[in-house]
Amino acid sequence: MYFILIIFGSVSLYKALTSQEERKIHRLKITKQMVNSKEKFVKSNKESQLQKRLNETEIKFINAVKFQVIRIIFILVITVYYLVSSIIENNYVDYKIFAIPCALFIVTEPTLKWSLSSLLLNMISERLNRKKIEEVFTLFDLLKADLDDLHSTQNVNMYNIIKQSLPMFTYIKGSLSRMLSLWKSSPEKAKTVLYEEIGGENTKIIGEIIYKIDQTTKEEALDLIEAESSVFTFSYYQGQLQSGKKQKTILFSFFTLTSILVIAWLVIFVFGMFNNSIDQTTF
């Protein structure tokens, strides 16, 4: 009731001290400032590191602007809920409740390396990258199969082979399509598309293989693939080993931190009970 009276009195005072024309000008200024702030917010988030990371995960239903708006609204709602609950139950503001919104702000901050949202984005990105690498190996096997089907006197046409193989892929289909669009004008640029968009030594090797065996004979192409297959496989397993070690480190750190927090909470809880018992005894 107190806040409602303050708002009502402020609005009435504002109307009494200003004319209708002045209020119109003030509204236009405020609207302009809000529009400019909105444009700056949208522009900064579209060009942010968060948007780049969301692009890496290929999530289509959310962008950096939507993520930040949902995050801010969620934290504000939680803050208001605990604030109102504290006032209703205790008749005063318990400032300890602000620890919850602060913790949520830190946990959902994507720029922090060890926040929950950052770890989740990393997991999605790594899973997608593994799927892409698996399809790169499928492409490698398809190349060998298609080369076996060629006649001995027939030259290799990589453009047609890759184009006919497109329906077989889901995760690297877009990258292969962009490779084909560049192939006829600049094969040297086309061979780097997979490496630039997916990354990893495997994509670099297969790009070189595709570039080298184009317009060669069947025997030359098969010899080149056999020569590169051992290097290709070794680099894949080496990458998988490094990825596995990294995941184990992250999981170990997460469970260690969780255990420390649980122990800390137990210590604080026991200490609080001990203090309460001492206070009651003294009383």
Side-chain angles (χ1 to χ4, degrees):
M1 196 66 188
Y2 178 71
F3 287 116
I4 292 171
L5 288 173
I6 287 177
I7 293 169
F8 180 76
S10 300
V11 172
S12 300
L13 182 63
Y14 175 70
K15 286 183 178 180
L17 294 176
T18 57
S19 63
Q20 187 174 359
E21 187 67 25
E22 288 175 332
R23 291 196 295 273
K24 184 179 178 181
I25 293 171
H26 289 160
R27 283 197 300 270
L28 288 173
K29 286 183 178 180
I30 293 170
T31 304
K32 185 179 179 182
Q33 289 177 354
M34 290 176 65
V35 170
N36 290 336
S37 300
K38 179 184 175 183
E39 288 179 354
K40 288 179 181 178
F41 176 76
V42 171
K43 186 178 179 181
S44 63
N45 279 281
K46 281 184 176 179
E47 298 172 355
S48 65
Q49 190 67 27
L50 173 60
Q51 187 59 54
K52 292 179 182 177
R53 296 184 67 186
L54 287 171
N55 292 338
E56 289 175 0
T57 61
E58 297 185 5
I59 297 174
K60 304 296 182 184
F61 62 89
I62 193 168
N63 54 31
V65 177
K66 289 181 181 178
F67 178 87
Q68 293 290 12
V69 169
I70 293 170
R71 174 173 170 258
I72 291 168
I73 291 174
F74 175 71
I75 293 173
L76 286 175
V77 169
I78 294 295
T79 304
V80 171
Y81 171 76
Y82 280 105
L83 187 63
V84 173
S85 299
S86 176
I87 294 171
I88 292 173
E89 292 177 4
N90 305 318
N91 293 324
Y92 68 90
V93 177
D94 187 0
Y95 292 100
K96 293 178 181 177
I97 64 171
F98 290 105
I100 297 173
C102 289
L104 286 174
F105 181 84
I106 294 170
V107 167
T108 57
E109 177 55 52
T111 58
L112 295 177
K113 187 177 180 180
W114 298 106
S115 68
L116 184 62
S117 57
S118 181
L119 291 174
L120 186 61
L121 286 174
N122 287 339
M123 285 175 59
I124 296 171
S125 181
E126 287 176 5
R127 181 180 178 276
L128 180 64
N129 196 62
R130 283 198 302 271
K131 293 289 185 183
K132 288 181 177 181
I133 294 297
E134 288 173 6
E135 288 197 348
V136 167
F137 268 81
T138 303
L139 174 62
F140 185 75
D141 292 333
L142 279 174
L143 290 180
K144 290 194 289 186
D146 288 336
L147 288 174
D148 283 331
D149 292 336
L150 293 178
H151 298 294
S152 57
T153 57
Q154 189 176 355
N155 283 346
V156 178
N157 188 331
M158 287 311 305
Y159 183 89
N160 289 337
I161 290 175
I162 295 175
K163 188 175 182 180
Q164 291 170 4
S165 303
L166 278 179
M168 296 285 296
F169 304 103
T170 303
Y171 298 98
I172 63 171
K173 189 174 183 178
S175 298
L176 290 176
S177 297
R178 285 184 282 276
M179 176 191 280
L180 291 177
S181 65
L182 277 172
W183 190 261
K184 291 189 174 180
S185 60
S186 178
E188 289 188 0
K189 290 182 180 179
K191 72 177 183 180
T192 62
V193 170
L194 289 174
Y195 177 67
E196 290 172 354
E197 296 191 0
I198 302 173
E201 193 65 25
N202 308 302
T203 54
K204 189 174 184 179
I205 292 171
I206 200 168
E208 290 290 339
I209 291 172
I210 291 170
Y211 176 72
K212 288 177 181 177
I213 66 176
D214 187 46
Q215 301 303 323
T216 61
T217 63
K218 174 183 175 179
E219 287 75 13
E220 289 173 342
L222 287 173
D223 289 342
L224 183 60
I225 283 182
E226 287 299 324
E228 296 286 352
S229 60
S230 59
V231 180
F232 189 72
T233 307
F234 175 76
S235 63
Y236 171 72
Y237 285 114
Q238 191 180 35
Q240 288 293 96
L241 186 63
Q242 291 175 354
S243 177
K245 287 180 179 178
K246 186 178 179 182
Q247 287 180 356
K248 286 179 182 178
T249 304
I250 292 172
L251 288 173
F252 177 77
S253 302
F254 175 76
F255 285 115
T256 302
L257 180 62
T258 306
S259 302
I260 291 171
L261 290 174
V262 170
I263 293 168
W265 180 82
L266 287 172
V267 171
I268 293 169
F269 181 74
V270 172
F271 184 74
M273 290 181 62
F274 182 72
N275 278 345
N276 289 335
S277 64
I278 290 175
D279 291 341
Q280 289 175 1
T281 305
T282 306
F283 178 76

